[in-house]
Amino acid sequence: MNRFGKFLAVAALAVTAAIGSAQAQDKFITVASTTSTENSGLFKHILPLFKAKTGIEVRVIAQGTGQALDTGRRGDADVVFVHAPAAEKKFVAEGHGVERFEVMYNDFVIVGPKSDPAGVKGMKDAPASLTKIAAAKAAFASRGDDSGTHKAELRLWKEAGVDVKAAGGGWYRELGSGMGATLNTAAQMPAYALTDRATWISFQNRGPLEISVEGDAKLFNQYGVILVNPETHKHVKKAEGQAFIDWLVSGEGQKAIADYKLNGQQLFFPNAKKSSS
């Protein structure tokens, strides 16, 4: 081979390498998920393990569950990983998602001022505690953002027989903010608030707040994962997105979730099973 031929061969190898590198860099998926999975540090723990296993990078859009599902509806994510089962099932039934898989759970807690102006400390009945908070007109900070936590909170208020819409702007404050920001506001007011336990464990600025109500089965908090429908949105990375779901519900993924602890406490409990759409 002459010098020119060698030059062309080297150039061809360089182009091939560059294409391969670009393809490797393009091997990623976008996951719309809740603020709790991001802010708790869970993703920082499990996503590097998934990438090491598959070579697929996961780019997270952390937002409230309602917003995350809307992101999926628009086709701006490949996968949604959220915690509002009724809304998730509706998402699938309407054709926006392929199939819903349960992944893990934890629980919600009601936190409030140590002074406990509503006298709910130690109660196990969440709706009954909310009835007392409303009767006392004790300050309550709501996310008010259509997140999974907000949906759960509204469900509990309904069971308590309290019309919080009529109370807005008084003792009941709808903030339209994420969980961390809502807890910061609750600590400053101070006020009661509903939070997922994982965010509470990782929250540093507790100030006068402590757990007031916990242990009610109605505070159960299930997380599910869904592949955005590639028939509706052709650009959805079906194979890579499904690979992420398969890993989450596999023994390896479930162990990774269980192994994540903060301050000696397990934040999420794996409970994957056959699809539940």
Side-chain angles (χ1 to χ4, degrees), residues 25-217:
Q25 290 174 357
D26 286 340
K27 198 173 182 182
F28 72 89
I29 59 171
T30 300
V31 174
S33 189
T34 74
T35 57
S36 59
T37 47
E38 175 76 4
N39 295 345
S40 66
L42 176 70
F43 278 154
K44 289 182 181 178
H45 172 71
I46 68 171
L47 296 187
L49 299 175
F50 172 69
K51 185 175 182 180
K53 174 82 173 182
T54 65
I56 301 170
E57 177 190 355
V58 177
R59 300 178 183 178
V60 177
I61 302 172
Q63 48 193 177
T65 285
Q67 292 173 307
L69 290 171
D70 284 343
T71 297
R73 286 187 185 94
R74 295 191 303 269
D76 292 335
D78 303 296
V79 173
V80 292
F81 188 178
V82 290
H83 64 138
E88 295 163 35
K89 290 174 183 178
K90 182 180 179 183
F91 181 84
V92 172
E94 291 175 344
H96 302 296
V98 176
E99 195 171 9
R100 174 180 175 269
F101 294 84
E102 293 187 345
V103 178
M104 62 189 188
Y105 71 92
N106 60 10
D107 64 343
F108 294 109
V109 296
I110 296 173
V111 300
K114 293 175 183 176
S115 58
D116 193 23
V120 298
K121 174 69 177 175
M123 289 183 67
K124 300 293 184 184
D125 186 326
S129 72
L130 293 180
T131 299
K132 290 190 70 173
I133 290 171
K137 289 184 167 48
F140 189 97
S142 169
R143 285 183 60 165
D145 64 348
D146 196 34
S147 61
T149 302
H150 184 221
K151 291 176 187 293
E153 180 215 310
L154 292 179
R155 171 176 50 80
L156 292 169
W157 282 118
K158 184 175 181 180
E159 289 191 41
V162 176
D163 182 4
V164 290
K165 292 298 181 184
W171 58 270
Y172 182 79
R173 307 289 180 85
E174 287 188 291
L175 304 177
S177 59
M179 195 69 256
T182 299
L183 286 173
N184 275 322
T185 300
Q188 291 166 9
M189 291 176 67
Y192 293 96
L194 182 76
T195 177
D196 66 282
R197 192 182 292 269
T199 301
W200 176 250
I201 291 172
S202 60
F203 184 64
Q204 300 296 316
N205 187 34
R206 296 181 180 183
L209 301 181
E210 63 180 5
I211 292 178
S212 300
V213 180
E214 62 182 333
D216 189 338

Side-chain angles (χ1 to χ4, degrees), residues 206-252:
R206 296 181 180 183
L209 301 181
E210 63 180 5
I211 292 178
S212 300
V213 180
E214 62 182 333
D216 189 338
K218 293 173 182 176
L219 295 173
F220 182 77
N221 182 28
Q222 179 69 53
Y223 288 78
V225 65
I226 305 167
L227 178 71
V228 174
N229 194 341
E231 295 299 317
T232 304
H233 302 286
K234 302 298 184 183
H235 59 276
V236 166
K237 297 176 181 176
K238 179 180 178 180
E240 293 87 348
Q242 190 61 50
F244 179 55
I245 292 171
D246 291 344
W247 183 82
L248 283 173
V249 301
S250 72
E252 183 178 342

